[in-house]
Amino acid sequence: MAAIHREITTKDDVPLSDLLLDAVAEIEIFNEAERPFRELMAQNVTERTFRVHTGDMTWEELAEGEHARTGRLDSTEMAFSVTKHGRSLGYSQEFIEDNTADIVRREFQELVDGALQKEHEVLFDIVRDGWADGTNLWFDPEDYGAYSFSDTHNHQFADTQELFGGAGAKTASGHIREANKEIRHHGKRPTIALMSSDMAGEFVDELAYGADYHIPEAEGLRETALPQTTMKVDGVNLLQTAWLTDNEVHVVAGEERPIYFHEARPVQLTQGENGGPVGDPGDLLGSYGSVRYGAAIADPLAGLSFVADDLA
């Protein structure tokens, strides 16, 4: 006798094939959606390697008939790794049969939300540890204006005294202005400052010049164009985030796009942890969501960190 095929359905009779179509559509929307926080600081690259070009291309005054000195650019190549991230969807036949389609879809939505949260975690981990720390940089920094730099240049300041080069309490906005100097003397323009909710409160207390001004949540942005009411200090937009604590602040020249982000494979559903893509409705049972990408700070001088431990 031939086997009788019965498609698995939810408690309210939605077939597994419909759930698969919903899942695929949800993933496509997620993969094509804007990533406002990433786009504020990062650029998508197609390779895992990148080059930093340094050298002297300064123009000079020439006497009549004099030949210009030849400019020279040196380049250093670096590579960064790609990591696979994933999570089990947790669908079993019993789970499908015992729950309505809305509950089943909610599980899938949480899986997709988790993918975005993981991306934010990865980006913040890179920002937290990626700026020049006073040890040997892997390239020779370019001189700019009246400033000269070595490969031991530092952009991580442990406290207020280290940032300002002397003791004494400083205002929250004063910290931002001092940090700006450290970035501007490389010819870069700071645009955003990331901080904890506690530190954001210090700015609100100091700069409460209007109730309509606020400090948005970085990971909650819906578009790269920041609200006009975003609080700003010395040209820097202030953003708060749950990924930072205490009085730690990161000031970034966002227009430099110092983070390189390489997506080797967008989010997809796979058959088990290491299987191929889900293609049939039955493959949803025991499936995983996975993605492969890597990120690195390609310009460690385009941002800095400080801890404002002595506030006036």
Side-chain angles (χ1 to χ4, degrees):
M1 178 182 294
I4 299 175
H5 173 74
R6 181 182 69 86
E7 185 172 15
I8 298 172
T9 64
T10 62
K11 188 176 181 180
D12 51 350
D13 296 324
V14 175
L16 205 56
S17 56
D18 285 1
L19 296 176
L20 176 58
L21 292 175
D22 292 342
V24 170
E26 190 74 30
I27 283 182
E28 289 179 350
I29 292 172
F30 177 81
N31 285 333
E32 294 173 4
E34 291 185 359
R35 299 286 193 275
F37 173 65
R38 186 208 302 176
E39 292 166 9
L40 279 175
M41 298 190 299
Q43 56 182 298
N44 295 323
V45 295
T46 58
E47 302 291 339
R48 304 183 196 182
T49 59
F50 57 90
R51 287 182 177 271
V52 172
H53 297 272
T54 58
D56 184 10
M57 292 296 286
T58 305
W59 285 40
E60 56 192 13
E61 182 179 347
L62 300 176
E64 186 174 351
E66 181 182 2
H67 292 289
R69 179 168 55 92
T70 301
R72 177 179 176 81
L73 285 179
D74 297 321
S75 66
T76 305
E77 184 174 270
M78 290 292 289
F80 57 96
S81 61
V82 166
T83 304
K84 180 180 178 181
H85 305 279
R87 172 189 164 187
S88 171
L89 186 53
Y91 283 177
S92 66
Q93 181 172 343
E94 291 75 17
F95 177 80
I96 300 294
E97 293 174 338
D98 293 347
N99 291 280
T100 64
D102 284 345
I103 293 177
V104 174
R105 292 188 183 102
R106 192 176 307 147
E107 289 289 316
F108 184 76
Q109 183 60 54
E110 290 181 3
L111 179 79
V112 173
D113 291 344
L116 184 58
Q117 182 175 342
K118 185 63 180 180
E119 180 180 312
H120 288 155
E121 178 185 343
V122 169
L123 290 172
F124 275 107
D125 283 345
I126 291 169
V127 167
R128 192 176 291 115
D129 299 321
W131 310 124
D133 61 2
T135 59
N136 291 334
L137 288 168
W138 42 271
F139 63 94
D140 293 323
E142 287 187 86
D143 297 338
Y144 185 81
Y147 297 94
S148 298
F149 309 101
S150 71
D151 60 2
T152 58
H153 192 60
N154 179 48
H155 270 200
Q156 296 188 29
F157 301 94
D159 52 36
T160 298
Q161 181 173 342
E162 187 175 349
L163 175 64
F164 284 88
K170 307 293 182 180
T171 63
S173 60
H175 282 77
I176 296 294
R177 285 189 286 271
E178 190 66 22
N180 275 8
K181 296 177 187 177
E182 294 291 331
I183 297 176
R184 289 182 186 275
H185 66 204
H186 294 286
K188 309 176 193 295
R189 186 172 71 87
T191 55
I192 58 175
L194 302 166
M195 65 195 67
S196 70
S197 297
D198 289 339
M199 190 63 195
E202 297 289 346
F203 282 95
V204 172
D205 289 344
E206 178 191 345
L207 305 172
Y209 45 80
D212 291 337
Y213 285 82
H214 70 290
I215 301 177
E217 184 183 59
E219 56 269 38
L221 294 174
R222 293 293 178 262
E223 56 183 359
T224 53
L226 298 176
Q228 292 184 351
T229 54
T230 300
M231 190 173 286
K232 185 180 293 187
V233 175
D234 198 17
V236 177
N237 293 287
L238 308 185
L239 301 175
Q240 59 182 309
T241 173
W243 295 103
L244 296 176
T245 59
D246 301 323
N247 286 2
E248 180 182 355
V249 179
H250 294 259
V251 179
V252 185
E255 293 177 352
E256 300 289 330
R257 302 292 187 267
I259 298 176
Y260 279 19
F261 189 93
H262 173 62
E263 187 176 66
R265 191 188 72 212
V267 173
Q268 69 175 30
L269 284 177
T270 59
Q271 302 172 48
E273 186 174 359
N274 298 307
V278 167
D280 297 321
D283 294 340
L284 274 177
L285 304 181
S287 63
Y288 273 67
S290 68
V291 65
R292 293 180 63 238
Y293 55 73
I297 288 186
D299 186 354
L301 301 177
L304 63 73
S305 64
F306 64 81
V307 176
D309 68 330
D310 195 359
L311 289 167

